[in-house]
């Protein structure tokens, strides 16, 4: 069974209530339930933390024997060289995802420290960005 880990960064635990005009009304947990039903043959792990170092710990924990990682690092995307270094160190491919289309938003969201180290980037499709990333990793 393929093992794909989803990792969400800061403030993404508030999905459903956080700026619903941008991020929608769904909690991540309810979206994840549907995703797991749609892909019964894939083990989909899920981890969320607001703490940069804990995201790095999780990436290192799964990054050598899981088949792929879907990472939404939230605002750390735009600030974290430490996360970039971590992604470069892993064996598993990492797909960077964003719920919103960051290129339609403030200039400071247009730059990602993570993209150069990732296999690819998916943004702007709402929570379905995660499903598209999963598709990309399993095909
Ligand atoms: C986000 C976009 C980031 O700019 C922002 O800081 C987030 C969420 C997204 O999923 O659209 O926290 O990664």
């Amino acid at each position: 069974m393929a093992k794909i880990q989803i990792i969400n960064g800061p403030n993404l635990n508030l999905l459903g209530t956080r700026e619903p005009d941008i991020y929608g009304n769904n909690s991540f947990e309810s979206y994840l339930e549907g995703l797991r039903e749609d892909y019964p043959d894939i083990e989909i792990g899920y981890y969320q933390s607001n703490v940069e170092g804990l995201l790095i710990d999780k990436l290192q924990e799964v990054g050598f024997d899981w088949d792929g990682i879907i990472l939404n690092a939230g605002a750390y995307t735009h600030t974290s060289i430490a996360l970039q270094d971590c992604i470069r160190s892993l064996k598993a491919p990492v797909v960077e995802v964003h719920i919103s289309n960051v290129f339609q938003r403030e200039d400071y969201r247009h730059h990602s420290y993570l993209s150069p180290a990732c296999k690819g980037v998916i943004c702007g499709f709402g929570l379905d960005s995660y499903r598209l990333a999963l598709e990309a990793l399993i095909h």
Side-chain angles (χ1 to χ4, degrees), residues 2-51:
K3 295 198 319 186
I4 304 293
Q5 177 74 42
I6 296 174
I7 300 179
N8 275 345
N11 302 307
L12 293 165
N13 53 315
L14 300 179
L15 286 176
T17 54
R18 172 193 184 195
E19 300 183 272
D21 294 353
I22 298 174
Y23 299 113
N25 296 297
N26 256 3
S27 72
F28 194 77
E29 286 71 15
S30 70
Y31 177 76
L32 183 62
E33 214 178 291
L35 197 64
R36 283 180 170 145
E37 277 167 23
D38 290 346
Y39 294 88
D41 297 334
I42 296 169
E43 182 177 338
I44 303 174
Y46 172 57
Y47 179 78
Q48 189 277 332
S49 176
N50 294 320
V51 181

Side-chain angles (χ1 to χ4, degrees), residues 5-9 46-47 55 58-59 62 69-73:
Q5 177 74 42
I6 296 174
I7 300 179
N8 275 345
Y46 172 57
Y47 179 78
L55 296 171
K58 189 66 187 180
L59 283 160
V62 298
I69 298 169
I70 297 168
L71 174 65
N72 184 348

Side-chain angles (χ1 to χ4, degrees), residues 116-129:
C118 287
K119 178 100 181 143
V121 182
I122 295 174
C123 82
F125 295 95
L127 285 173
D128 251 358
S129 294

